[in-house]
Amino acid sequence: MSEDLMDNNKDRVESIENLTSTHNQKRKDYLPWDDYFMATAILSSKRSKDPSTQVGACVVDNHNRIVAIGYNGFPRNCSDDEFPWSKDEDKNSMKNKYMYVVHAEANAILNSNCTALDGTRLYTTLFPCNECTKLIIQSGIREIYYLSDKYRDKPVYQAARRMLDAVGIAYKQFIPTQKQVTIDFDLIK
Ligand SMILES: Nc1ccn([C@H]2C[C@H](O)[C@@H](COP(=O)(O)O)O2)c(=O)n1
Ligand SMILES: [Zn+2]
């Protein structure tokens, strides 16, 4: 065999070996569980029609199975086009969205696909309010991960923390391992 041909064969064997070894190793840049669940909550928030704050929530059991998802919106059959999205009126005004909106966490709990949420974890894009906290406690959720706490000084959220502290439900601000998770429909071929 000529030297050129031998070199050529060696190169081909090496490149096949490289190809097999990279395909035998697991991906290193896969999405960690916690990022995956918070990203799911964010994705869910994108369904919200609220022009001001879109909230998403995702409940996960201790086998890392998603058992509930929700976002803030009006109750079933209350039209998004007829009920008001305003927040400028007095808090108790009928013209105000607060009268009607079901919060993301409440929707998740109500729409859960399992009968009991005991021992589960909640991933939510916004810290739960007092009303959702009551549902969280009663449903048996044990841990809360949240992204934003932008209303933390309002009494509603102080009351929420008071209840969570009293019953020992852990809550922690979520720090993602990566800044962005890209969903590009064109990448799936
Ligand atoms: N933990 C929370 C807190 C609030 N929401 C909903 C309720 C409203 O639709 C919106 C907040 O509106 P804003 O006062 O910022 O104009 O978020 C929720 O789903 N979960
Ligand atoms: Zn709430």
Side-chain angles (χ1 to χ4, degrees):
M1 206 185 291
S2 77
E3 228 166 80
D4 271 358
L5 205 59
M6 277 169 58
D7 280 352
N8 219 339
N9 274 347
K10 206 172 136 221
D11 286 351
R12 280 172 57 190
V13 169
E14 271 176 10
S15 76
I16 288 169
E17 274 171 5
N18 278 342
L19 204 70
T20 343
S21 67
T22 45
H23 281 279
N24 276 343
Q25 281 169 12
K26 74 174 182 188
R27 274 175 65 225
K28 300 262 179 347
D29 59 345
Y30 60 90
L31 203 55
W33 279 122
D34 285 334
D35 290 29
Y36 170 60
F37 298 132
M38 191 55 92
T40 302
I42 296 172
L43 192 60
S44 175
S45 76
K46 303 217 174 277
R47 287 278 314 142
S48 175
K49 322 284 186 318
D50 191 319
S52 151
T53 302
Q54 303 83 43
V55 186
C58 172
V59 182
V60 176
D61 74 8
N62 53 16
H63 297 290
N64 284 329
R65 292 178 298 200
I66 295 177
V67 291
I69 285 183
Y71 58 88
N72 53 327
F74 296 139
R76 205 177 290 175
N77 296 332
C78 292
S79 166
D80 293 323
D81 299 315
E82 286 168 26
F83 281 78
W85 283 114
S86 165
K87 59 182 281 186
D88 304 327
E89 311 291 331
D90 173 80
K91 261 250 161 354
N92 296 319
S93 162
M94 296 269 290
K95 294 182 188 148
N96 205 313
K97 67 178 175 183
Y98 300 110
M99 281 288 181
Y100 312 104
V101 168
V102 183
H103 286 194
E105 304 91 317
N107 262 330
I109 291 168
L110 290 166
N111 295 332
S112 154
N113 60 14
C114 62
T115 46
L117 295 179
D118 291 291
T120 54
R121 326 195 280 285
L122 166 70
Y123 295 77
T124 176
T125 58
L126 184 59
F127 198 93
C129 73
N130 64 325
E131 291 301 331
C132 290
T133 295
K134 295 174 196 173
L135 300 179
I136 290 166
I137 295 170
Q138 294 301 75
S139 67
I141 289 171
R142 292 303 309 161
E143 274 175 72
I144 299 169
Y145 294 94
Y146 60 93
L147 274 180
S148 165
D149 198 8
K150 64 178 177 175
Y151 295 133
R152 65 165 288 117
D153 296 330
K154 296 199 172 192
V156 156
Y157 293 86
Q158 288 170 2
R161 282 198 300 276
R162 180 177 177 179
M163 286 186 274
L164 294 171
D165 291 340
V167 301
I169 293 181
Y171 51 90
K172 200 171 169 193
Q173 188 150 37
F174 182 71
I175 313 284
T177 56
Q178 50 199 81
K179 271 262 165 262
Q180 284 188 339
V181 177
T182 309
I183 297 177
D184 181 347
F185 287 109
D186 282 340
L187 279 181
I188 310 294
K189 296 284 179 223

